[in-house]
Amino acid sequence: KLFFPYTQQLVSLEVLQADHNKLRSLNVSGLKKEYTYTGSNIQPKVVLKIGGNVLKLKKDYTLSYKNQKNAGVATLTIEFIGNYQHLGNLICKYAIVPKPVEIVWGNTELVYNGKSQVPTAEVIGIAEKDVCEILYTNIASECGTYTTDIILSNKNYIIEKNATCEYTISPKTVELEWSNTDMVYTGFVHSPVAEVVGIIDGDACEVTVLGATDQAGTHTATAVLSNPNYVIANADCNFTIAPRGVVLTWSNTDLFYTG
């Protein structure tokens, strides 16, 4: 194996017939230690010199590549031919590293809909015709504030910016249909009746009305829901308990003067 400073690594040389003088004067240029993924084949065109002579491609040597497109370790094989055939093959390794990309997030303020939700995410920098699916690490359905990361399905890319996003799912606004708001005093506690409208099918949501009273007058009732995924638009309701009408029975209406 020989060490070439331009690659900062060992490369192997398969020698069919040793020619140590020529090997000592062999100079290889044009090959870097690593390249960034582009979506196309990465095939460095090296220049070979022996002594002061520049070798000619396809006359003195040929180049062949393996694993030269996707991220990983690629192989460049230099096969000497013609007058240099006795030198054998020079096998070089170079790295193809994932391309950095950026995530642009959108729709981070969501409203509860009974389903799993995440913000929208767009990957900026994907090569044309490449497929790169987005995988979320945290998908939520209940109201709250969450943090999610992104994993890319295509290993040829690595997220450089904005891999993490915070998003919020807010409660869904519903309305109440109030009834029984005008009553007459009976001596018992009264309150209006509230029915919630807009609950998603399959969700449980009980309504509790606060503010019941047994006193005549105008009062305000407030409704609360058992399901925190909903918020009431018209939670308060005025109701009236009218005084109960009574009939007086009069007596002792015929009197005598007594001084």
Side-chain angles (χ1 to χ4, degrees):
K1 290 186 176 182
L2 301 177
F3 182 82
F4 289 95
Y6 66 90
T7 63
Q8 295 296 305
Q9 65 188 62
L10 289 173
V11 296
S12 61
L13 180 65
E14 299 176 355
V15 182
L16 299 180
Q17 180 179 339
D19 188 334
H20 298 293
N21 289 330
K22 287 187 176 181
L23 289 179
R24 279 194 293 268
S25 62
L26 175 63
N27 179 276
V28 182
S29 61
L31 180 64
K32 297 189 297 185
K33 183 179 180 180
E34 69 177 36
Y35 299 82
T36 300
Y37 173 81
T38 64
S40 301
N41 288 330
I42 298 176
Q43 299 176 329
K45 301 302 181 184
V46 297
V47 176
L48 304 182
K49 290 183 180 180
I50 293 181
N53 297 323
V54 178
L55 276 61
K56 295 182 178 180
L57 181 62
K58 296 184 180 180
K59 178 181 178 182
D60 301 320
Y61 66 94
T62 61
L63 301 177
S64 61
Y65 303 87
K66 184 178 180 180
N67 301 324
Q68 72 271 29
K69 180 179 179 180
N70 295 319
V73 178
T75 301
L76 165 61
T77 300
I78 303 171
E79 181 181 356
F80 292 95
I81 59 175
N83 295 333
Y84 298 93
Q85 183 176 0
H86 61 282
L87 293 180
N89 298 332
L90 183 64
I91 300 175
C92 306
K93 302 287 186 181
Y94 57 97
I96 299 176
V97 298
K99 179 184 178 182
V101 294
E102 181 181 353
I103 304 298
V104 176
W105 294 93
N107 198 27
T108 58
E109 300 293 331
L110 305 168
V111 176
Y112 175 78
N113 62 8
K115 301 177 182 179
S116 296
Q117 299 186 83
V118 285
T120 59
E122 181 183 0
V123 186
I124 305 299
I126 300 298
E128 187 178 358
K129 298 183 179 180
D130 266 5
V131 175
C132 186
E133 296 180 355
I134 295 174
L135 306 175
Y136 297 89
T137 60
N138 189 15
I139 300 176
S141 60
E142 303 291 318
C143 288
T145 299
Y146 304 92
T147 298
T148 186
D149 293 319
I150 275 183
I151 299 173
L152 300 179
S153 64
N154 193 325
K155 301 304 180 183
N156 290 313
Y157 297 95
I158 185 171
I159 301 174
E160 186 177 50
K161 291 183 180 179
N162 304 329
T164 301
C165 178
E166 183 177 278
Y167 66 101
T168 300
I169 300 177
S170 301
K172 181 180 188 294
T173 300
V174 294
E175 293 190 358
L176 298 178
E177 291 184 352
W178 290 95
S179 61
N180 199 30
T181 57
D182 294 304
M183 294 161 279
V184 176
Y185 174 80
T186 64
F188 297 99
V189 171
H190 293 285
S191 66
V193 176
E195 181 180 355
V196 63
V197 178
I199 298 298
I200 295 171
D201 289 345
D203 275 3
C205 188
E206 296 180 359
V207 182
T208 300
V209 177
L210 307 176
T213 181
D214 60 358
Q215 299 298 307
T218 299
H219 310 279
T220 300
T222 301
V224 294
L225 302 177
S226 63
N227 192 326
N229 291 313
Y230 297 93
V231 62
I232 305 171
N234 55 335
D236 295 332
C237 176
N238 293 329
F239 67 100
T240 301
I241 299 178
R244 184 177 184 82
V246 295
V247 177
L248 296 179
T249 300
W250 295 90
S251 62
N252 200 24
T253 56
D254 295 314
L255 305 173
F256 293 96
Y257 176 76
T258 61

